[in-house]
Amino acid sequence: MTERALEVEGLTVTFPGSRGLLSRRRPLRAVDDVSFAIDRGETLGLVGESGSGKSSTARGILGLVPVSSGSVRLDGAELTGLSGGDLRRHRRHIQMVFQDPYSSLDPSSPIGESIAEPMVVHERLGRGEAQSRVAELLDRVGLRAEHARRYPYEFSGGQRQRVAIARAIALRPKVVICDEAVSALDVSTQNQVINLLQDLRDEFGIGYLFVAHDLAVVRHISDRVAVMYLGRIVEHGPAERIFGAPRHPYTEALLSASPVPHPARQRERTRIVLPGDLPDPRNPPPGCTFASRCAHVMDVCRVEMPPVTQVDGGGEVRCHLHATPVSVGVPRASTPG
Ligand SMILES: Nc1ncnc2c1ncn2[C@@H]1O[C@H](COP(=O)(O)OP(=O)(O)O)[C@@H](O)[C@H]1O
Ligand code: SF4
Ligand SMILES: [Mg+2]
């Protein structure tokens, strides 16, 4: 039987606008009605180009940015609306690993102290016990006990991420959010760190939200993948289906831009180059937010937000090309070309 670790429903994160002397900045909805669930021992990959709202989703789950609506349940317990000691008690079960390990490692402290800190705070461990737990954790992530006395700058990028992972798993969390945790590493180090994360997932039943801007990076670790564009999930499904038969034109473009392990198949594939940039998130277009860059855009796309449609092979897509034809006000135009 599977056990739900994290449930996110209708999460919306809005950064406030501002009123200057000459201009007024509108509020920015960085995350718009995002829903997903992660079981224990399962990995959900969250992908999308820079600015699509992945980090804001992660930070919204942790209550680090203003959540304007939605619900976040960790192991069945509602997190939104909690504060102080109540929030801290639940927050220990959900940890984060960032691209930049200095976000969690103090550059001026030996790494053993950084790893011990959450255990000292939450479990009130004494010095001796903390030291032996640090030694175990270092061993578990492929480092050595004597590394505890070294400083973050003395490690390579991959080793520093191992240290950050040791700190993240110290309290045996139910969920770990990895936000671009391997994005700065070279491919072979990426693979080693991903293998470590997979081993820890299988050993401790951790549920991962694995965030990356590159689809290739999430390929091997993800059971399911969600694709984000301008604050919304535009496609979601089992990893094999997303990689084998992507439905959303944005997913197709992301996939065409990321290398596949098979050189012959790579040659066969045409790279879809997306024109332009993400639209201004403070002033999103009506209808489908991808319309300004989509090769398949139809008239309906510019006026009506595409509905969520179930996909054969699992998951959902938000695109008029795949919407079940029902008689609605706006006629469906045919695909150009
Ligand atoms: N603290 C903040 N204040 C205002 N806007 C922000 C803040 N953090 C992120 N944003 C904006 O929210 C949008 C989503 O950003 P982010 O969640 O960092 O995307 P990603 O992680 O996918 O690159 C971007 O337009 C970004 O500029
Ligand atoms: S709804 Fe229209 S514009 Fe949006 S992705 Fe689908 S085809 Fe393209
Ligand atoms: Mg980010």
Side-chain angles (χ1 to χ4, degrees), residues 18-261:
S18 60
R19 200 185 284 271
L21 239 121
L22 296 172
S23 64
R24 191 171 158 262
R25 270 197 337 162
R26 295 170 177 234
L28 187 158
R29 196 175 284 185
V31 180
D32 193 356
D33 195 16
V34 160
S35 303
F36 56 78
I38 301 174
D39 289 333
R40 299 209 74 181
E42 187 192 40
T43 303
L44 175 70
L46 183 63
V47 293
E49 73 203 279
S50 173
S52 54
K54 307 178 301 294
S55 294
S56 300
T57 302
R59 297 170 69 83
I61 291 169
L62 295 168
L64 301 173
V65 288
V67 170
S68 37
S69 58
S71 132
V72 176
R73 281 187 298 277
L74 179 66
D75 215 13
E78 181 63 54
L79 294 193
T80 45
L82 293 183
S83 59
D86 288 337
L87 183 60
R88 268 196 304 280
R89 261 191 301 285
H90 289 288
R91 273 283 314 278
R92 60 171 291 178
H93 299 299
I94 178 161
Q95 297 291 325
M96 197 148 167
V97 180
F98 299 91
Q99 171 165 355
D100 166 21
Y102 288 111
S103 312
S104 54
L105 304 179
D106 178 355
S108 60
S109 297
I111 56 119
E113 284 180 23
S114 295
I115 297 173
E117 192 202 339
M119 298 186 286
V120 172
V121 171
H122 288 275
E123 296 181 351
R124 303 189 187 286
L125 291 192
R127 205 183 152 76
E129 207 179 339
Q131 258 178 9
S132 73
R133 288 271 292 276
V134 167
E136 275 168 41
L137 284 162
L138 284 172
D139 177 64
R140 189 61 201 80
V141 299
L143 297 169
R144 292 195 308 275
E146 58 268 30
H147 283 139
R149 289 191 295 275
R150 295 198 190 160
Y151 290 83
Y153 72 85
E154 296 180 74
F155 294 93
S156 67
Q159 287 176 322
R160 256 196 309 271
Q161 282 308 38
R162 289 176 189 270
V163 174
I165 292 166
R167 181 183 150 101
I169 62 164
L171 298 172
R172 296 282 155 84
K174 292 172 175 141
V175 173
V176 174
I177 300 179
C178 301
D179 189 356
E180 307 274 8
V182 302
S183 302
L185 306 175
D186 63 72
V187 173
S188 94
T189 314
Q190 270 182 357
N191 290 337
Q192 290 164 16
V193 173
I194 285 175
N195 286 341
L196 169 65
L197 288 168
Q198 281 175 315
D199 290 347
L200 296 171
R201 172 183 69 189
D202 298 342
E203 187 174 342
F204 301 120
I206 301 169
Y208 288 123
L209 178 64
F210 192 85
V211 174
H213 62 275
D214 184 350
L215 255 179
V217 167
V218 307
R219 190 174 190 125
H220 293 291
I221 194 169
S222 300
D223 300 294
R224 285 180 297 119
V225 173
V227 180
M228 225 175 154
Y229 189 79
L230 209 72
R232 290 214 182 89
I233 292 181
V234 295
E235 181 163 14
H236 157 255
E240 311 94 88
R241 205 279 289 156
I242 294 279
F243 286 98
R247 299 295 206 286
H248 198 282
Y250 182 58
T251 314
E252 283 181 354
L254 282 183
L255 198 58
S256 83
S258 88
V260 285

